[in-house]
Amino acid sequence: MTTVGDLRYRTRLLWIACVTTTLAALHFVDHVLRGNMVQAEHLKPAWNHSGWPFEQQVTPFTISLIGVTAILVGGIIFTIRGQLWAGYWLAAAVILSALVTQVHLIPGVHQESPSEIYHSWVGHPWIGKLAVLNTFAIIACLLAMALNAYLVGRATRRWL
């Protein structure tokens, strides 16, 4: 039996998940469009962070696209069905925050820095700024998701 309180908390979990999923989808679209821009403008090939199914090669983008989509969309579906709760969203937020932070903010071989995101949009600086802003908005949403999940779990004493 679903109580009014459960419905309110489920709505909170789903709302932040849907906002995060929308921002993530925009970020993946940005990856694909920037990949095309890198090729068309003959920019540094290492700036192309796209991949299959939009290009022939399987890349870290491909794995991220599949994994992030499965975590977010799968979580939304199972939360609607009442099969997942705050613990799932707390774990998802921690894992995805670590992924986004590692890929975009920590220097490394496959880093896609905010500067690289911005400079890939040759001739379109406002799109580059929006793309960077979207990246930071995703991080903010994931932090909000973690906090919300913790508060829902604590309030309901239910984690799964």
Side-chain angles (χ1 to χ4, degrees):
M1 177 193 269
T2 302
T3 66
V4 173
D6 280 352
L7 186 57
R8 186 179 79 224
Y9 287 122
R10 180 177 294 142
T11 300
R12 279 178 42 183
L13 292 169
L14 288 169
W15 185 85
I16 192 74
C18 288
V19 169
T20 305
T21 302
T22 301
L23 293 173
L26 289 171
H27 186 70
F28 285 123
V29 168
D30 173 62
H31 271 267
V32 173
L33 295 176
R34 278 188 293 113
N36 291 338
M37 183 74 75
V38 166
Q39 292 174 359
E41 297 293 331
H42 307 289
L43 302 174
K44 295 178 186 177
W47 286 10
N48 183 352
H49 294 280
S50 187
W52 185 89
F54 305 99
E55 295 184 5
Q56 291 183 352
Q57 295 176 295
V58 172
T59 65
F61 164 85
T62 307
I63 297 162
S64 177
L65 176 66
I66 293 167
V68 169
T69 302
I71 289 169
L72 292 173
V73 175
I76 290 169
I77 291 167
F78 286 105
T79 301
I80 289 170
R81 292 180 181 173
Q83 295 172 310
L84 291 177
W85 200 248
Y88 176 85
W89 290 109
L90 181 57
V94 169
I95 290 166
L96 293 175
S97 293
L99 174 69
V100 173
T101 300
Q102 191 277 324
V103 168
H104 294 290
L105 302 179
I106 298 174
V109 176
H110 296 289
Q111 183 194 22
E112 180 187 5
S113 71
S115 175
E116 189 175 298
I117 293 170
Y118 174 77
H119 290 294
S120 294
W121 284 103
V122 173
H124 305 282
W126 60 275
I127 296 176
K129 289 176 186 175
L130 289 174
V132 171
L133 180 64
N134 183 59
T135 303
F136 285 103
I138 291 168
I139 294 169
C141 278
L142 289 168
L143 295 174
M145 179 187 288
L147 177 61
N148 181 57
Y150 171 76
L151 294 173
V152 167
R154 194 176 87 183
T156 62
R157 298 184 191 276
R158 180 175 156 214
W159 293 94
L160 299 176

